[in-house]
């Protein structure tokens, strides 16, 4: 098990492996830190904070993948999910994605990937652990939890939210805010 601060929260990775998992845990930590450097709007030097309106910019594969998925979510939710909520100009329609490029179409647009970045980072860290032969793992980035294969001799991981407990295998769950506060979670 490993815990470390990253992405504005505490990341916890729990693994079960017959092999020595320390190098895999370190690689997963580095992947989280790499994504934090690219996707965080809190870091002045992050990739998303270097974007300039009106300029077409070649972006990293990570940023392109997360923005492509974010745009799809924005369309499906009719704008309820929108990564442009941080700036003076709001509207996912003001982002143009090209061939590994992004153009911010209007002044005042700033990106906030807080609603999607931790889940993406969990997915990436999980893929890395699986590539190193570690399939029994849980990754918790605050309220964003991903589980793969369960611990030895268990049928599943059990994820609890207040008085609700659910068995999960190879799934992810995201929680936010107060359990009884409507509007925080889309679905």
């Amino acid at each position: 098990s490993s815990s470390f601060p990253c992405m504005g929260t505490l990341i916890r990775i729990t693994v079960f492996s017959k092999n020595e998992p320390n190098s895999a845990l370190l690689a997963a930590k580095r992947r989280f830190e790499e994504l934090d450097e690219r996707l965080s709007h809190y870091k002045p030097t992050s990739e998303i904070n270097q974007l300039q309106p009106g300029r077409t910019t070649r972006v990293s594969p990570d940023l392109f993948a997360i923005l492509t998925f974010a745009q799809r979510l924005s369309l499906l939710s009719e704008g309820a999910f929108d990564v442009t909520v941080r700036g003076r100009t709001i509207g996912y329609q003001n982002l143009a994605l090209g061939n590994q490029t992004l153009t911010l179409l209007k002044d005042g647009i700033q990106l906030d990937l807080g609603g999607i970045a931790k889940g993406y980072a969990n997915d990436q860290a999980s893929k890395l652990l699986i590539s190193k032969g570690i399939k029994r793992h849980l990754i918790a980035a605050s309220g964003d939890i991903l589980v793969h294969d369960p611990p030895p001799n268990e049928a599943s991981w059990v994820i609890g939210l207040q008085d609700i407990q659910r068995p999960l295998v190879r799934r992810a769950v995201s929680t936010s805010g107060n359990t009884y506060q409507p509007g925080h979670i889309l679905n």
Side-chain angles (χ1 to χ4, degrees):
S1 189
S2 175
S3 296
F4 53 92
C6 191
M7 301 188 106
T9 190
L10 185 67
I11 309 295
R12 183 173 52 97
I13 302 175
T14 302
V15 301
F16 292 91
S17 174
K18 293 178 183 175
N19 301 326
E20 182 57 42
N22 287 342
S23 65
L25 286 169
L26 184 58
K29 178 183 182 221
R30 286 186 182 142
R31 184 68 172 126
F32 263 98
E33 292 169 343
E34 174 186 32
L35 290 169
D36 193 28
E37 290 296 323
R38 289 190 177 140
L39 308 177
S40 175
H41 71 271
Y42 294 110
K43 296 180 182 246
T45 59
S46 72
E47 184 176 7
I48 67 168
N49 281 334
Q50 301 306 308
L51 300 170
Q52 297 176 13
R55 177 180 287 171
T56 298
T57 306
R58 185 168 237 11
V59 295
S60 68
D62 288 316
L63 183 54
F64 190 78
I66 204 168
L67 287 175
T68 299
F69 188 62
Q71 289 295 84
R72 183 169 173 240
L73 292 176
S74 295
L75 287 168
L76 291 172
S77 68
E78 298 177 350
F81 183 86
D82 190 338
V83 296
T84 69
V85 296
R86 186 170 151 246
R88 293 186 322 270
T89 303
I90 296 173
Y92 68 94
Q93 306 89 338
N94 296 313
L95 301 180
L97 294 171
N99 184 17
Q100 204 68 37
T101 64
L102 169 68
T103 307
L104 303 178
L105 300 175
K106 291 189 178 176
D107 286 339
I109 294 179
Q110 293 179 302
L111 301 181
D112 182 342
L113 302 175
I116 195 170
K118 287 185 291 186
Y120 179 81
N122 281 0
D123 289 343
Q124 294 298 303
S126 179
K127 287 177 186 176
L128 192 149
L129 291 171
I130 292 166
S131 75
K132 295 186 177 294
I134 300 177
K135 294 182 178 181
R136 297 180 184 275
H137 61 265
L138 175 145
I139 303 171
S142 192
D144 291 275
I145 300 168
L146 180 148
V147 297
H148 200 61
D149 290 351
N153 304 316
E154 297 290 336
S156 66
W157 294 90
V158 178
I159 305 300
L161 176 63
Q162 294 207 357
D163 58 349
I164 302 168
Q165 293 194 351
R166 294 286 185 261
L168 293 178
V169 176
R170 295 188 180 192
R171 295 282 184 259
V173 63
S174 181
T175 62
S176 179
N178 184 313
T179 304
Y180 305 101
Q181 179 182 2
H184 243 94
I185 296 177
L186 294 175
N187 185 333

